[in-house]
Amino acid sequence: MSAFIQSNKAAAEGPSLIGRRRLLPRLRSHGGALWRRWRYPFTRRTPLLIETAYNPKTLAAEKEIVDKRPLYWIAGLLVLLVVPPVFGDNSFLSAATVFAIYAAINIVWMLMIGTAGIFSLATLAVVGAAAYTVSYISIHTGLPWWGMIAVSPLVGLLFGVLIAIPAIRLEGFYYALLTVGIADLCREFVLQTQALGAASYGLYGADTYVPKGISERGGLLLSFYAAFVVMLAALALYRMVNGQRLGLLLRTAPEGQEAFAAALGINYRAARIQVFLISSAALGAIGGFYATYFKGASPALFTMDSLLLLLAMIVIGGIGTAEGAVVGTLIVVLFDRVFIGLGPVRLIIIAMIMFGTVLFLRRGLFGIAPQFRAWRDKRRSERRALRTGEGDDIMPEDATQIADKQAIYTQRFDKQLREELKKLVTDELIAEHRRTDGGRRSDALERILTFFRRAEVAGKYAILAEKPFAAYRIVALSGKRGMPPRLVDDQVFATQEEAQHGVFLKRIRDLLDS
Amino acid sequence: MSEVLRIENLSAGYDALGVLHNIDFTVQAGERIGIIGLNGHGKSTLLRAIAGLTGWQSGSIKLNGVEIGGVRSQGPGRFTHQIVRRGLALMPQGDALFHGLTVADHLDSGAYTRRAWRERMRRRERMLEVFPPLAKLLSVPVGRLSGGERRMVSLARGLMADASLLLIDEPSLGLAPKISKGLIEALMRIDLGSGAMVIAEQNLSRLEGAMTRLVTLHAGKLKGGAAANMGLLGGHH
Amino acid sequence: MHIDFYYLAVTTVTLASIYGLLAVGISIIWSSLGMINMAHGFTFAVSGYGAWLVAQNISTNGVVVLAGGVLTGMLSGAVIGGLAFVPLYDKPNFAVRSLIATLAIALFGSQCLLWAFGPRVKALPPIFPTGGFKFGTASVSYDRLGAIVCSIVLLLAMLAWMKRSRRGLEIRAMMQNPEGAALVGVGLRSTAIAVMMVTGGLAGLAAVLLSRTYFVSPFAGAIPLVKGIIVALAGGLGSLAGALIAAALLGLVEALTAVGLGGRFVLITQFLVIIIILLIRPRGIAGMLERTRE
């Protein structure tokens, strides 16, 4: 049997569902149970969320993948894994390696910014600090590359603890700016310290994981695969932290609404710091890998420009999602490393993309769809709000409440008729009514009068002869048996014709007001 | 009698929420109009729509014959300063004060429009006559004042400009009855000249008798404003 | 250890006036516009080039060069305001988006400068006469004196202008409550551009005055930007008085460190001081002085 994947979600999002109820019951079938039996080892996670049900109309068994993102991830990662080694030349391959490293950094950074909500800009500073430290140790003690990678998370953690201290007290921008300063402090320190290679612009000579005898292409390939593994590890970490308990805790305490979480007894501060420290350790590990890849570290890690490029990556993709981090990194690295022939222009292009993104998009490329939906909904409800006046079309959500469906169409017809009649009202028409009292009238006037005659009894105007042939007044009928009409105003007319014209004017006014 | 404000077919709201529906409303020079309505029926939104502070609006608003409304859904407040310079003063709910600035600064800022700026000292004197308690507080930052004093500062700031239309949103909200009575009396003492005043209130008794005319706002629609409709067919009578 | 008081005083005042000039701009922009202007450093760099072009093509007279720098700075400020503030200020997430927008402008601008003028540094003609005089035991060059006097005069003028003038009131009102400001007739966009121009002018002035320290180059603005941000942060973003106090304090710390420990430790001690200040008062020195934008 062919897997019949019907997109129920698309139907649910369709435009015309407001106010309608789904009357057909959807019966679950048991095919999904087979899929739910598959678990990732040691967790209760299923690989794919698959829902199975019988089609309410045809009763055929249907299968739907509720969340297709894992499939997209796998496909995207496969492309990234296959394309550079197979189709890329050497420079492309090293660009791909750099991409993988930066993507790993950005994914971990996203944990800090998105999950923990700590706007730290000292990310590269942590990476750099770890890279420098392990390079220094390796150069002076001969620590092998695996030792470097083993030590580096500790360095990152230590550095993370140091820069987490101000985060306890500082908020938002104050902390972001302080971390800019911290990165600059590191740069100055490295540039002025002889032992850290101030003279040679960088500290080089550390051990590397690329074996000595390997060919150039082989070394590049090995580097790329290793960097790819690092990126996968970063993704796994993101999933573990953001998708599990810590991430859930922090989602209850978004910025500005922490009080609610606190009232529930959630210690969001501790959770934030925990995520921050975990990310710092991970950044340290990436720093260690960086040092083994580049055989050292360079002060460029601490400069404003690197920070800018890194920020451009996550901004373009969209702050808050791992896929945003990866795609943003891909775009920026593509321009920065692959189109290197463009010279300074490539950075100008990156700046322009970045600027355009913040100008038009709230949450980067991956925010386009929700932003568009929000915009469309807003426009729709604005238009709907503009349309609903008294006696206007009944909106679909109200229409479900009205049993007599004919009333809905009567009202719609009435509204259209009134709009049409409004156009006929002119000074001449009113003068004509006064002139041709009861006589032959133009078509336009006849139409309007016919409409007036058709009005409901309740509230209909009538003429009360207080003194026949001397004093007439306008009243409005109550529409209820036994309840007398009420006086409309204090105008008194001398003749019946004048009073009739007075009623006409009132009705015209009501028509124009409606 | 000249028209200070003429609103035709105004609808306004915020995002998906429509608050005002097809409102027609006219204010003549020299009038003091009270808008009565319950919470959430659109009093503040009407005043804010006139000042261009709602999320979106459609319809026509003419201040002294100049169109200040129109269809807009581009961010609230984009045109407010221009409307204010054409002679509108809105004293909003919550007062919108500058907490770090002194009372004197507030009075000066009220006289921000160019003509008023030159004669701000004279105007300040006049305001202190209307609100005598402020005289002692001139150099105190507004953040340290009490609620009643703040309301006075807000009103005085609004009155400093050469506004031809004063819109006052709930002058008595959150104040002790005695203080709010005094405030309303002070407002009644103000010489409107060729301008007009619109006060939004929940409480009918506070305004009854003092105003030229009262209208009610119910569920985003104006009721009982017979005079509001007069203009429409005035020529034919 | 013997500490030369006169030398210390001169260094402190010099640094304080420079830091003040750098920090005040960032601080005012944050408080009145609610935006961190990361392109302030770019304004600094481009003003240097503006002054250099004036010196090359028009006149090497000190005043003319200075005016060239200030005018370029004002223009650059206005452009930044027009690009980053005007389209974004009533959009959601304004604070973060404007920060990123100014960063993008900074990246764009510095790369354009690199493209147009190349990476070589340029030197401006001397603005003040060479030579100097003795102040106690310390010698002060006219150049340094000119920088100090210029920046102090300008900062005081700025303070007075903010306090007294109609524009100043407008800016202070906007700092406190943008909607209230609109309600008294202050145009947020025009005021924002005015603020950007004034602070841009300050950055331009600083660029010319400091052209002996930070030579004219495409990336000359990075270090002044970071210093300015740090000082503004320690002062409590948004407070002029706080920024000036912080500038004086950090100037003193730097002078003391340079004399006592050596130039290498300057940044470290400065940072320690700032972090201590911020741990005690998260809103900086001015956190207790006045209420500013949240």
Side-chain angles (χ1 to χ4, degrees):
Chain A
M1 201 185 91
S2 69
F4 193 103
I5 301 175
Q6 186 210 26
S7 89
N8 256 327
K9 221 156 69 182
E13 281 169 359
S16 61
L17 220 81
I18 300 169
R20 257 190 244 161
R21 283 184 205 131
R22 183 195 288 278
L23 294 173
L24 299 170
R26 270 174 65 80
L27 301 171
R28 292 260 183 118
S29 67
H30 297 280
L34 198 72
W35 283 89
R36 276 193 288 279
R37 217 179 289 154
W38 288 71
R39 297 286 161 96
Y40 287 117
F42 312 115
T43 68
R44 293 177 53 79
R45 285 176 184 279
T46 53
L48 273 179
L49 260 182
I50 287 179
E51 224 169 58
T52 47
Y54 294 105
N55 185 317
K57 282 185 185 154
T58 63
L59 292 184
E62 287 173 359
K63 188 157 57 185
E64 188 199 1
I65 304 176
V66 179
D67 187 356
K68 295 200 190 67
R69 279 177 299 177
L71 298 181
Y72 297 144
W73 267 112
I74 289 170
L77 288 176
L78 272 179
V79 170
L80 287 179
L81 183 65
V82 170
V83 168
V86 176
F87 302 103
D89 55 6
N90 284 358
S91 70
F92 190 86
L93 205 54
S94 60
T97 312
V98 171
F99 155 74
I101 295 176
Y102 274 102
I105 294 176
N106 283 331
I107 290 162
V108 177
W109 191 17
M110 215 55 108
L111 273 181
M112 279 188 189
I113 295 186
T115 308
I118 299 178
F119 212 92
S120 162
L121 297 177
T123 322
L124 276 178
V126 180
V127 175
Y132 262 100
T133 313
V134 294
S135 304
Y136 185 82
I137 297 174
S138 169
I139 291 168
H140 289 268
T141 65
L143 189 71
W145 64 268
W146 47 267
M148 286 164 72
I149 292 177
V151 171
S152 55
L154 296 177
V155 182
L157 187 65
L158 203 67
F159 202 76
V161 169
L162 278 180
I163 60 175
I165 293 171
I168 301 167
R169 292 275 290 179
L170 288 181
E171 275 167 15
F173 274 111
Y174 285 76
Y175 187 69
L177 294 184
L178 188 71
T179 48
V180 172
I182 289 175
D184 197 55
L185 172 69
C186 295
R187 189 184 58 87
E188 284 278 332
F189 183 75
V190 164
L191 279 182
Q192 286 178 3
T193 311
Q194 274 310 320
L196 294 178
S200 57
Y201 200 75
L203 182 67
Y204 292 105
D207 191 27
T208 172
Y209 58 83
V210 182
K212 285 246 158 45
I214 202 165
S215 71
E216 192 196 350
R217 179 81 183 171
L220 284 172
L221 275 175
L222 180 64
S223 298
F224 171 71
Y225 288 127
F228 198 83
V229 168
V230 170
M231 185 174 88
L232 287 184
L235 275 173
L237 181 79
Y238 184 89
R239 191 90 183 87
M240 263 160 58
V241 174
N242 189 51
Q244 308 250 9
R245 185 176 157 275
L246 271 175
L248 187 66
L249 282 186
L250 286 168
R251 263 197 291 284
T252 63
E255 193 147 359
Q257 295 167 33
E258 292 95 342
F260 295 115
L264 289 172
I266 292 170
N267 189 353
Y268 65 93
R269 278 173 199 280
R272 274 186 194 173
I273 298 294
Q274 242 172 304
V275 172
F276 189 83
L277 293 182
I278 292 172
S279 323
S280 295
L283 285 176
I286 298 172
F289 179 78
Y290 181 98
T292 57
Y293 172 61
F294 285 107
K295 301 176 198 146
S298 102
L301 274 172
F302 301 117
T303 58
M304 195 78 177
D305 284 356
S306 324
L307 175 62
L308 253 171
L309 276 187
L310 206 70
L311 203 61
M313 294 173 193
I314 64 163
V315 165
I316 291 171
I319 293 179
T321 56
E323 56 265 38
V326 175
V327 171
T329 313
L330 190 66
I331 292 173
V332 172
V333 172
L334 202 66
F335 276 105
D336 191 34
R337 297 285 163 137
V338 178
F339 301 139
I340 208 152
L342 293 173
V345 180
R346 67 189 202 281
L347 286 177
I348 293 177
I349 294 172
I350 292 174
M352 278 176 7
I353 298 176
M354 188 174 165
F355 187 72
T357 314
V358 289
L359 207 57
F360 298 111
L361 304 178
R362 277 180 215 170
R363 298 200 135 256
L365 289 178
F366 280 88
I368 288 181
Q371 192 180 341
F372 173 73
R373 251 179 266 132
W375 173 83
R376 192 188 56 192
D377 290 353
K378 188 181 156 216
R379 285 304 302 271
R380 221 177 250 164
S381 42
E382 259 181 46
R383 256 180 273 135
R384 184 179 304 141
L386 283 179
R387 270 187 288 144
T388 43
E390 194 163 13
D392 272 4
D393 243 9
I394 291 167
M395 285 297 126
E397 57 266 40
D398 298 330
T400 48
Q401 312 290 323
I402 298 174
D404 179 8
K405 299 299 176 205
Q406 182 155 348
I408 300 168
Y409 291 96
T410 314
Q411 189 155 346
R412 181 176 299 169
F413 173 76
D414 250 24
K415 156 107 176 147
Q416 285 166 1
L417 186 60
R418 266 180 285 131
E419 290 304 321
E420 214 173 295
L421 292 180
K422 271 184 197 175
K423 289 185 210 131
L424 300 178
V425 179
T426 56
D427 288 357
E428 289 84 62
L429 189 103
I430 291 168
E432 187 195 340
H433 182 267
R434 163 159 267 170
R435 206 172 51 237
T436 62
D437 165 47
R440 190 181 157 75
R441 277 145 176 174
S442 68
D443 281 359
L445 187 53
E446 256 336 314
R447 275 191 76 184
I448 288 179
L449 287 172
T450 313
F451 175 74
F452 286 164
R453 281 180 203 122
R454 219 186 47 145
E456 259 184 81
V457 174
K460 199 168 187 172
Y461 294 117
I463 297 173
L464 172 76
E466 276 196 330
K467 249 187 241 157
F469 307 107
Y472 296 92
R473 300 187 67 173
I474 301 177
V475 293
L477 299 179
S478 69
K480 284 186 194 135
R481 190 176 288 273
M483 199 187 275
R486 64 182 168 83
L487 279 179
V488 174
D489 54 18
D490 44 11
Q491 265 183 302
V492 182
F493 299 91
T495 65
Q496 194 178 335
E497 288 73 37
E498 261 179 56
Q500 270 169 355
H501 188 65
V503 168
F504 179 71
L505 283 182
K506 279 213 172 340
R507 284 176 171 165
I508 290 276
R509 187 184 302 161
D510 290 351
L511 171 68
L512 291 186
D513 274 2
S514 70
Chain B
M1 215 162 49
S2 63
E3 272 176 356
V4 177
L5 179 73
R6 183 189 192 94
I7 297 179
E8 281 169 13
N9 200 23
L10 173 73
S11 299
Y14 307 90
D15 287 347
L17 189 67
V19 183
L20 302 177
H21 308 286
N22 309 89
I23 286 198
D24 292 315
F25 184 48
T26 323
V27 179
Q28 309 285 347
E31 276 191 309
R32 286 170 210 269
I33 298 179
I35 300 181
I36 311 289
L38 290 176
N39 240 346
H41 281 258
K43 296 187 303 293
S44 299
T45 307
L46 176 57
L47 301 193
R48 290 176 68 84
I50 298 171
L53 286 171
T54 46
W56 54 266
Q57 63 179 57
S58 74
S60 147
I61 305 174
K62 285 201 173 104
L63 182 66
N64 297 320
V66 183
E67 181 66 51
I68 57 169
V71 178
R72 278 180 199 153
S73 58
Q74 177 74 278
R78 280 222 161 205
F79 302 94
T80 300
H81 64 283
Q82 290 165 6
I83 299 172
V84 167
R85 286 178 196 171
R86 289 192 190 285
L88 178 93
L90 169 65
M91 288 147 251
Q93 253 180 53
D95 299 338
L97 295 174
F98 316 121
H99 290 271
L101 303 194
T102 62
V103 173
D105 280 337
H106 275 79
L107 295 182
D108 288 352
S109 76
Y112 174 79
T113 49
R114 256 176 211 291
R115 192 153 63 82
W117 182 256
R118 266 180 251 126
E119 46 188 60
R120 61 185 188 282
M121 282 305 167
R122 197 143 37 85
R123 281 165 191 248
R124 198 195 275 184
E125 296 297 315
R126 260 203 339 245
M127 273 312 114
L128 296 182
E129 280 166 27
V130 180
F131 302 104
L134 293 184
K136 293 193 298 290
L137 303 168
L138 277 179
S139 57
V140 180
V142 165
R144 292 205 207 121
L145 299 186
S146 72
E149 289 161 345
R150 283 187 199 191
R151 190 63 47 79
M152 272 184 226
V153 173
S154 165
L155 294 175
R157 185 183 71 181
L159 294 170
M160 283 289 283
D162 359 57
S164 51
L165 180 64
L166 302 169
L167 306 175
I168 304 166
D169 201 353
E170 306 226 18
S172 61
L173 186 77
L175 298 184
K178 204 175 141 201
I179 298 174
S180 72
K181 199 159 162 256
L183 272 182
I184 299 225
E185 275 165 12
L187 286 177
M188 293 306 133
R189 283 202 299 275
I190 292 160
D191 173 28
L192 290 177
S194 63
M197 179 188 279
V198 176
I199 301 182
E201 261 291 356
Q202 281 196 53
N203 201 331
L204 179 70
S205 62
R206 291 227 172 83
L207 297 181
E208 223 166 11
M211 314 301 286
T212 339
R213 176 153 75 88
L214 291 177
V215 294
T216 47
L217 196 58
H218 182 79
K221 289 174 188 131
L222 272 185
K223 294 275 160 82
N229 293 335
M230 289 299 274
L232 258 181
L233 288 170
H236 308 306
H237 284 289
Chain C
M1 191 177 72
H2 172 71
I3 290 177
D4 184 347
F5 171 74
Y6 288 104
Y7 176 75
L8 199 66
V10 169
T11 317
T12 305
V13 173
T14 316
L15 291 168
S17 55
I18 292 170
Y19 287 164
L21 216 51
L22 297 174
V24 158
I26 290 169
S27 205
I28 291 180
I29 294 175
W30 163 253
S31 57
S32 55
L33 273 56
M35 170 170 110
I36 301 281
N37 184 10
M38 296 301 262
H40 207 62
F42 163 67
T43 304
F44 187 92
V46 84
S47 309
Y49 277 100
W52 179 74
L53 283 178
V54 166
Q56 292 289 306
N57 299 323
I58 300 172
S59 158
T60 51
N61 181 324
V63 179
V64 178
V65 173
L66 209 58
V70 172
L71 283 178
T72 319
M74 289 171 82
L75 185 70
S76 158
V79 169
I80 295 166
L83 287 175
F85 179 82
V86 172
L88 283 177
Y89 76 101
D90 52 1
K91 301 266 167 66
N93 253 341
F94 165 66
V96 175
R97 282 163 83 181
S98 64
L99 171 93
I100 293 163
T102 51
L103 273 172
I105 294 171
L107 178 65
F108 180 85
S110 55
Q111 291 300 326
C112 283
L113 286 180
L114 181 66
W115 202 24
F117 295 100
R120 300 241 334 247
V121 297
K122 314 266 192 258
L124 291 183
I127 290 160
F128 301 101
T130 46
F133 63 94
K134 280 272 180 195
F135 172 71
T137 54
S139 63
V140 183
S141 67
Y142 289 125
D143 195 49
R144 188 176 255 204
L145 183 74
I148 294 172
V149 171
C150 265
S151 42
I152 289 179
V153 166
L154 238 110
L155 285 175
L156 291 181
M158 181 97 192
L159 270 176
W161 179 72
M162 288 284 283
K163 205 86 193 153
R164 301 250 171 272
S165 74
R166 186 160 164 268
R167 272 281 182 199
L169 182 64
E170 171 179 300
I171 295 170
R172 280 187 297 150
M174 193 166 141
M175 281 181 186
Q176 303 265 338
N177 186 339
E179 189 178 305
L183 279 178
V184 297
V186 174
L188 298 188
R189 277 157 290 169
S190 61
T191 308
I193 298 291
V195 169
M196 293 300 296
M197 283 175 78
V198 169
T199 51
L202 280 183
L205 182 89
V208 179
L209 289 180
L210 301 184
S211 59
R212 309 257 138 214
T213 323
Y214 305 112
F215 290 101
V216 177
S217 80
F219 303 102
I223 295 165
L225 172 73
V226 172
K227 291 259 183 192
I229 286 178
I230 291 303
V231 174
L233 199 60
L237 281 172
S239 159
L240 278 186
L244 295 184
I245 295 173
L249 186 68
L250 291 177
L252 179 67
V253 169
E254 177 160 346
L256 275 175
T257 316
V259 171
L261 295 171
R264 287 204 289 135
F265 298 95
V266 165
L267 261 177
I268 296 172
T269 50
Q270 269 185 345
F271 250 89
L272 280 179
V273 170
I274 288 166
I275 288 179
I276 289 168
I277 290 176
L278 289 178
L279 281 180
I280 300 168
R281 307 269 355 154
R283 286 279 146 94
I285 293 173
M288 45 194 155
L289 288 182
E290 54 190 287
R291 239 185 100 139
T292 50
R293 191 186 273 267
E294 294 289 306

